Amino acid sequence: MFESLGEKLESLRRTLAGHGRITERNIEDALRDVRLALLEADVNVGVVRDFVEAVKRDALGQDVLRSLTPEQQFLKIVHRELVRVLGGESTPLDLGGGAPVVLMMVGLNGAGKTTTSGKLARHLRDERGRRPFLVAADVYRPAAMDQLRTLAQQLGVPVHVGENGGDAVAIARAGVAEATRQGADTVIVDTAGALS
């Protein structure tokens, strides 16, 4: 989603370059592109509508600050609204509860769940002092299991890998059981996302 949105915003930057003011006419196409990128990423229609209206309301007619070009001003408004829509502030990951804490990676296909699982495991181990355990439960994309196994080996983190085409729930349960047996305090289950 963010890559597509980034491309749309780059297109917007080029469109707005050279204008002294942000007007409805010179941002309408850009907002349409942003709206389309968000909808293609399965963002809720109501959230997209509110987001676009908020950006439009804040951007229209604003004089560009002396140090900013129109595109920079507009991108600043879009950034502020994205931060607001995504929650406004970062919140630390709550790892309270009985061990092991189980985290499931879910999301759209191609969103980066497998890579993020590895990065999260490294962060939890190196920054939070946790003992992470990875579970490869994406039974629909064979390369995902191999990818997670490779990431786990590179990180020196234990991993449970199920069979391609197997039962994702059974793989996840077996992975949590193995993590418990090995004394892990955090289990990261990489899933097929929308197909799970």
Side-chain angles (χ1 to χ4, degrees), residues 94-103 130-133 175-187:
D94 181 5
L95 298 172
V101 174
V102 179
L103 305 173
R130 306 286 293 193
R131 293 180 313 279
F133 188 98
V176 171
E178 181 63 21
T180 302
R181 190 183 71 69
Q182 290 190 29
D185 58 12
T186 311
V187 179

Side-chain angles (χ1 to χ4, degrees), residues 40-54:
E40 286 174 349
D42 278 346
V43 176
N44 179 283
V45 174
V47 172
V48 172
R49 183 185 59 244
D50 293 347
F51 173 81
V52 169
E53 286 304 314

Side-chain angles (χ1 to χ4, degrees), residues 82-99:
L82 278 173
V83 169
R84 185 191 64 75
V85 166
L86 292 172
E89 299 176 11
S90 62
T91 304
L93 183 60
D94 181 5
L95 298 172

